[in-house]
Amino acid sequence: DFLGSITLDLNRFPRGAKTSAQCSLDMLRTDGSVPVINLFKQGRTKGWWPFYAKDENDELLLQGKVEAELILFTEEEAEKSPAGLGREDPNGLEKPTRPD
């Protein structure tokens, strides 16, 4: 089932919430009231971000939250430490059904 989505600009990335309770749709505001980071300059971030869906009136509805850590590597760093090595395989889940 389709849960929701989030699209983030890596140049103006909203700083992740420290806890799930602090994570809300307010983090997605673009009026300058939300602290943002440039992931290309900072290189790493960790936190909670909201997933949303739009209702029939185009209003955002909170659909869930995700805790994630994002790290940007240079090409050389990525070749030294390929993704997935030293970790267990991900859990195999069925593909979700998404609305068109």
Side-chain angles (χ1 to χ4, degrees):
D1 292 334
F2 179 73
L3 298 177
S5 64
I6 186 169
T7 303
L8 301 168
D9 178 354
L10 299 183
N11 289 305
R12 297 189 43 75
F13 200 88
R15 188 181 313 148
K18 292 184 180 185
T19 66
S20 174
Q22 294 172 332
C23 179
S24 70
L25 289 175
D26 291 337
M27 296 172 59
L28 303 178
R29 291 184 181 188
T30 57
D31 60 3
S33 64
V34 177
V36 295
I37 62 169
N38 182 328
L39 196 56
F40 295 105
K41 289 181 181 176
Q42 189 163 330
R44 165 182 255 163
T45 190
K46 181 178 181 179
W48 287 86
W49 289 272
F51 278 98
Y52 67 88
K54 291 185 180 180
D55 66 9
E56 60 275 351
N57 298 325
D58 257 4
E59 293 185 24
L60 299 183
L61 299 172
L62 181 64
Q63 293 295 102
K65 302 174 184 184
V66 63
E67 182 181 26
E69 180 175 12
L70 302 168
I71 305 168
L72 291 183
F73 289 108
T74 64
E75 184 177 357
E76 184 178 296
E77 291 169 330
E79 287 174 357
K80 288 180 183 176
S81 180
L85 295 182
R87 300 181 186 241
E88 296 179 21
D89 289 336
N91 296 334
L93 300 175
E94 296 179 23
K95 290 193 175 198
T97 54
R98 297 174 189 237
D100 293 329

